[in-house]
Amino acid sequence: MAALEPRDDADAVATSPTETAPPTPTGQTVAPRDGVLSRSYRSLSIGIVSVVLLIAFEATAVGTAMPVAARELHGVSLYAFAFSAFFTTSLFGMVFSGQWADRRGPLGPLGAGIAAFAAGLLLAGTAASMWMFIAGRAVQGLGGGLVIVALYVVVSRAYPERLRPAIMAAFAASWVVPSVVGPLASGAVTEHIGWRWVFIGIPVLVVFPLALALPQIRRRASGPAEGAARGAVDGRRIRLALGISLGAGLLQYAAQDLRWLSLLPGAVGVTLLVPAVLGLLPRGTYRAARGLPSVVLLRGVAAGSFIAAESFVPLMLVTQRGLSPTTAGLSLSLGGGTWALGSYLQSRPRFEPYREQMMSGGMLLVTAAVATVPSVLIQAVPVWIVAVAWAFGCLGMGLVISSTSVLLLELSAPEEAGANSAALQISDGLSNVVLLAIGGAAFAALGGGAVGAAHGAVQSGGGSHPAAFVAVFLPMAAVALVGAWVATRVRAAGR
């Protein structure tokens, strides 16, 4: 949490009366050595970090409750879909939020996104079937997509460039407590009260971020950015956003169904996805062109490989090694601290010249972690290996994810911050959907749909299908290894 300290030698030394105070991106004047928790920024920083804290708690809690929810709703075969539905609808939310924030300011999409996020939690928590549960996850995803891009625009407008690494590190640090408390609390609630309360109990947390952050955002970052197009949103980009969301959903459905008839929706999904991706991501992203395109591509490669693997870790530990949901969730809890550590390290000015090397090293750590996790399918391997491996993988993710955020804002003009932030998040979300679809299809094809189907399997470790899990983890490790190469291209030539 050191990145959140209000006074740091590099960032928060009190300014002398003779120093000239530079304007913020919104034209307001603040002391040149203010930190993210100085008087000028304290309410805004605490408010937006609290929003990230809410999202983090939901993410860590849901991962622990999901195996039990899927079994009770008779939807283990749709397990991957329950995760990817969130990312599918978030793709549209991200594009729409970028357009909305650039033209009218981030206040609207942030407020609407938090409301949708809470509504999705309530829908999932009251679901009577797996498909209703998935619908709730989809509404959550729409809200999450609106929120995350709006937050990036807030950071771009309200904070000077020198404070952006620190606030990104603060975002990562806000995952520490949820990563430790979330699995434990979620597991205890799931076992003693019921998994539904993991979802129903979270919406009350939206009140504090709204009360604290929204007035500050209205004062510091409201209205369109200077030089941005005004008026209605870009209809072409919205149509592409609908195409990418619908295409991703059809692709995921086809991957889960595994019948010949599913080739048709799969083909339609690809047909919708390809032009949408080419239209919404920076030119050259698919070939890792140097600079912004590689930054956007790396975000997708890192997030997709990591999340697709992480989604199956609790299910593997519960069904193959007989762990309780609480214990399985706690195997990932060390990762919150090491992720925050990685993000903190990248925020230090002394490491700025080595950012590219840090990102490559981070992807190698992710590769090693994902490749190590399935070793616990061998009964002689202790399950604590997962906790250790995931801690190192999260350290790598902290180095990479925060760095991509910093580089994106560095390479974006103020009027392009919303669109480019949306592109970064689209790469993140789309990669999650595609790689979860691939992993889920391999998992189902090798018998994963039967995991936990028998009565008591989730508790006893019955229904063993180790090959189904190997088919998820090892390909994701290979994808992460590609990311180590992409990280060498994030700097434009000559920089």
Side-chain angles (χ1 to χ4, degrees):
M1 296 294 287
L4 286 171
E5 289 297 321
R7 301 185 64 82
D8 182 277
D9 290 341
D11 295 333
V13 177
T15 182
S16 69
T18 59
E19 290 179 300
T20 302
T24 67
T26 56
Q28 296 171 342
T29 300
V30 297
R33 290 298 178 183
D34 277 351
V36 296
L37 281 186
S38 64
R39 180 177 298 179
S40 300
Y41 293 105
R42 186 180 299 129
S43 295
L44 176 62
S45 296
I46 293 174
I48 62 176
V49 168
S50 296
V51 173
V52 177
L53 185 72
L54 168 65
I55 295 173
F57 191 86
E58 183 273 344
T60 56
V62 165
T64 304
M66 192 73 79
V68 177
R71 180 174 64 90
E72 290 191 4
L73 294 174
H74 308 290
V76 173
S77 62
L78 298 173
Y79 186 80
F81 212 171
F83 282 99
S84 63
F86 180 99
F87 301 114
T88 299
T89 53
S90 71
L91 294 170
F92 176 77
M94 291 166 188
V95 177
F96 188 72
S97 182
Q99 294 281 300
W100 190 352
D102 278 345
R103 285 163 170 74
R104 301 179 185 177
L107 186 64
L110 183 61
I114 291 176
F117 191 80
L121 285 168
L122 292 174
L123 181 59
T126 57
S129 68
M130 192 62 176
W131 281 112
M132 186 179 294
F133 180 84
I134 290 170
R137 294 286 291 161
V139 175
Q140 282 180 252
L142 178 63
L146 290 169
V147 168
I148 192 63
V149 171
L151 286 178
Y152 273 64
V153 176
V154 169
V155 171
S156 174
R157 293 196 193 177
Y159 293 87
E161 187 173 336
R162 66 180 177 81
L163 289 183
R164 291 172 192 166
I167 197 65
M168 291 300 176
F171 283 174
S174 68
W175 282 76
V176 175
V177 173
S179 295
V180 176
V181 177
L184 180 62
S186 175
V189 170
T190 299
E191 291 178 37
H192 299 293
I193 303 177
W195 62 266
R196 295 181 184 278
W197 288 99
V198 173
F199 296 87
I200 296 173
I202 293 178
V204 68
L205 300 176
V206 305
V207 177
F208 175 74
L210 284 173
L212 197 59
L214 295 188
Q216 289 296 316
I217 295 170
R218 182 180 294 110
R219 184 168 68 90
R220 290 183 173 274
S222 61
E226 184 177 353
R230 297 172 182 263
V233 297
D234 185 340
R236 174 180 173 274
R237 291 185 67 85
I238 297 302
R239 288 192 295 272
L240 290 175
L242 287 171
I244 203 171
S245 293
L246 181 58
L250 289 172
L251 186 63
Q252 178 67 29
Y253 175 80
Q256 292 292 134
D257 198 29
L258 293 182
R259 294 183 298 171
W260 286 109
L261 288 176
S262 299
L263 291 176
L264 179 58
V268 173
V270 171
T271 301
L272 290 170
L273 273 177
V274 172
V277 169
L278 293 177
L280 292 172
L281 299 186
R283 182 173 298 176
T285 298
Y286 72 95
R287 55 183 174 85
R290 285 194 172 275
L292 183 63
S294 284
V295 172
V296 171
L297 178 62
L298 177 60
R299 180 60 164 261
V301 169
S305 59
F306 185 84
I307 295 299
E310 185 180 55
S311 299
F312 285 86
V313 172
L315 186 66
M316 178 183 69
L317 294 177
V318 168
T319 62
Q320 306 303 297
R321 295 299 297 263
L323 272 63
S324 69
T326 303
T327 307
L330 285 174
S331 67
L332 306 178
S333 63
L334 286 177
T338 56
W339 190 310
L341 174 61
S343 185
Y344 170 77
L345 291 175
Q346 66 79 35
S347 74
R348 297 299 87 194
R350 67 176 67 94
F351 293 127
E352 176 62 30
Y354 310 103
R355 188 174 295 279
E356 183 179 311
Q357 292 90 326
M358 285 195 301
M359 296 169 80
S360 292
M363 289 310 303
L364 291 176
L365 287 174
V366 174
T367 301
V370 175
T372 298
V373 163
S375 66
V376 300
L377 291 166
I378 302 171
Q379 293 296 315
V381 176
V383 292
W384 56 259
I385 289 293
V386 171
V388 174
W390 219 245
F392 279 101
C394 287
L395 174 64
M397 288 294 286
L399 292 170
V400 173
I401 297 299
S402 294
S403 288
T404 57
S405 301
V406 170
L407 286 174
L408 177 105
L409 296 178
E410 181 182 311
L411 296 170
S412 300
E415 67 273 13
E416 297 174 342
N420 287 346
S421 295
L424 188 75
Q425 298 302 326
I426 288 168
S427 179
D428 187 319
L430 180 62
S431 180
N432 288 335
V433 171
V434 171
L435 292 181
L436 274 167
I438 293 171
F443 180 74
L446 292 175
V451 169
H455 177 70
V458 170
Q459 297 298 332
S460 67
S464 180
H465 292 270
F469 290 98
V470 173
V472 173
F473 291 113
L474 294 189
M476 298 310 141
V479 173
L481 185 59
V482 173
W485 169 76
V486 176
T488 66
R489 302 178 60 79
V490 295
R491 295 286 192 185
R495 290 188 63 121

